[in-house]
Amino acid sequence: AQSVTQLDSHVSVSEGTPVLLRCNYSSSYSPSLFWYVQHPNKGLQLLLKYTSAATLVKGINGFEAEFKKSETSFHLTKPSAHMSDAAEYFCVVSGMVGTYKYIFGTGTRLKVLA
Amino acid sequence: EAGVAQSPRYKIIEKRQSVAFWCNPISGHATLYWYQQILGQGPKLLIQFQNNGVVDDSQLPKDRFSAERLKGVDSTLKIQPAKLEDSAVYLCASSFLSSPLHFGNGTRLTVT
């Protein structure tokens, strides 16, 4: 079975400071992992994906995530937050269970303070 | 490439009325998903199609929700009759094999 846990429902950072959004996963086989961002009244946009290649994955808008199998984690980071980063972020695990299944975390709302 | 198209963007109905949402996936994407996203929660899968066949509808409330994808392209999700707790954003997504999901902008449903 697959599952994903986002450890923080809300994160607040000051503009220009680092961002860390935490995600732990559970999977009985090698998973694919994704981070999506959702701005208000918008659909979900893919930030980055991990599919068993390099463990450090770079995405759009300066975000990156590191896959750590020993810790079953896939935390999202950004060196310097921008006001436009304020949004909801979802960690997603996927795998083949008959067909491709995508399991969403409950989301982390990022607030960026001026 | 054109993205996933959904309509309408917003819908307000009274409880016990019916409503339908439409989705047109990215061309060539065989798999289509309908998700329900209640305010403050992550998306929950309602139904998954592979071409025009259903592969997972285990979380679809079948007494009131129905969905179809007759020609393996666009899809319609219907609620009849609606309840207050159906107020949510309904997201359509599509994918090709193991590619990431591509989402539409969603339909925000308010049931009064």
Side-chain angles (χ1 to χ4, degrees):
Chain A
Q2 295 175 295
S3 67
V4 61
T5 302
Q6 292 184 242
L7 300 169
D8 307 291
S9 59
H10 294 81
V11 170
S12 291
V13 300
S14 297
E15 191 175 22
T17 64
V19 176
L20 171 63
L21 305 183
R22 299 182 294 165
C23 172
N24 286 352
Y25 71 91
S26 173
S27 179
S28 52
Y29 39 80
S30 295
S32 293
L33 291 157
F34 310 86
W35 276 98
Y36 283 83
V37 61
Q38 186 177 33
H39 288 93
N41 299 315
K42 297 287 188 181
L44 283 81
Q45 179 186 18
L46 179 68
L47 273 180
L48 51 79
K49 62 180 179 181
Y50 165 78
T51 54
S52 76
T55 57
L56 182 62
V57 181
K58 294 188 184 299
I60 61 172
N61 300 334
F63 284 94
E64 61 182 37
E66 186 172 8
F67 174 73
K68 291 186 176 180
K69 186 175 181 179
S70 61
E71 299 177 10
T72 61
S73 69
F74 190 58
H75 300 335
L76 181 70
T77 60
K78 183 174 181 178
S80 176
H82 191 271
M83 296 298 289
S84 61
D85 295 327
E88 188 90 17
Y89 292 79
F90 292 96
C91 183
V92 181
V93 62
S94 80
M96 189 73 172
V97 185
T99 183
Y100 278 99
K101 300 292 185 186
Y102 297 82
I103 307 299
F104 282 76
T106 51
T108 298
R109 182 165 297 277
L110 176 65
K111 187 174 182 179
V112 182
L113 307 171
Chain B
E1 70 183 358
V4 176
Q6 287 190 250
S7 67
R9 283 300 315 275
Y10 304 93
K11 190 75 177 179
I12 301 173
I13 62 172
E14 295 180 352
K15 59 183 179 183
R16 292 187 289 274
Q17 286 186 325
S18 63
V19 64
F21 312 128
W22 175 83
C23 172
N24 193 28
I26 292 173
S27 177
H29 282 194
T31 312
L32 184 148
Y33 308 77
W34 282 102
Y35 285 87
Q36 180 192 57
Q37 186 178 20
I38 292 173
L39 186 65
Q41 300 180 18
K44 182 186 85 171
L45 179 67
L46 291 175
I47 188 167
Q48 178 179 346
F49 291 94
Q50 183 75 21
N51 296 309
N52 60 349
V54 175
V55 294
D56 186 353
D57 63 356
S58 57
Q59 296 195 82
L60 187 73
K62 299 180 185 63
D63 57 333
R64 298 184 300 106
F65 286 65
S66 65
E68 60 183 14
R69 193 185 184 199
L70 293 175
K71 297 182 180 179
V73 181
D74 58 344
S75 174
T76 302
L77 176 69
K78 296 179 181 178
I79 308 175
Q80 183 179 13
K83 292 185 175 181
L84 295 176
E85 59 260 36
D86 298 332
S87 294
V89 175
Y90 291 85
L91 295 163
C92 180
S94 68
S95 69
F96 177 71
L97 297 177
S98 61
S99 72
L101 295 175
H102 294 258
F103 284 88
N105 282 331
T107 296
R108 181 176 297 278
L109 173 67
T110 302
V111 182
T112 62

